[in-house]
Amino acid sequence: AYAKAGVSHPSLFEKVANHIVESDSLDRFKPQDFSNTLWAYAKAGVNHPKLFQKVANYIVESKSLDRFIPQNLSNIVWAYATADVSHAKLFEKVANHIVESKSLD
């Protein structure tokens, strides 16, 4: 909501990112949660490399991306590109998933 409204609150973004980074597991997060969170940070121009690294590593280590709908994946890779955060393994995993998918629906 803050990113969409163009409202800046750096300490809020920092606190949320640190909470996610310090979490033992991201298993309770849904694909939409990753998509929305990363989109918000990128849209707001908030740089938090540890957050992007933690989420990317989690996605890369996931057995399958079948839980992710195309819109989730699109928003996630958009967020990395917009935030100028490079994670080659994430982009490779997403690309391979799309290539191997029977449908893009």
Side-chain angles (χ1 to χ4, degrees):
Y2 283 82
K4 181 82 170 163
V7 176
S8 177
H9 201 298
S11 58
L12 173 64
F13 278 91
E14 183 72 16
K15 184 164 188 159
V16 171
N18 288 339
H19 174 75
I20 294 169
V21 168
E22 293 167 5
S23 295
D24 291 334
S25 172
L26 300 183
D27 289 340
R28 72 177 192 275
F29 285 81
K30 297 175 188 162
Q32 186 72 40
D33 299 334
F34 293 128
S35 175
N36 289 351
T37 301
L38 296 172
W39 177 91
Y41 278 76
K43 178 76 173 163
V46 176
N47 186 13
H48 201 292
K50 289 181 180 179
L51 169 67
F52 280 80
Q53 184 72 28
K54 175 115 182 193
V55 173
N57 289 343
Y58 178 81
I59 293 171
V60 167
E61 293 168 7
S62 298
K63 288 183 180 180
S64 170
L65 296 184
D66 290 342
R67 310 184 305 138
F68 290 78
I69 63 171
Q71 187 66 53
N72 297 148
L73 296 173
S74 175
N75 288 353
I76 289 168
V77 295
W78 175 89
Y80 280 81
T82 301
D84 199 24
V85 176
S86 179
H87 199 291
K89 289 182 180 181
L90 171 67
F91 277 76
E92 181 179 349
K93 178 126 183 176
V94 170
N96 289 339
H97 174 74
I98 293 168
V99 169
E100 294 167 5
S101 293
K102 293 178 183 172
S103 171
L104 294 178
D105 294 331

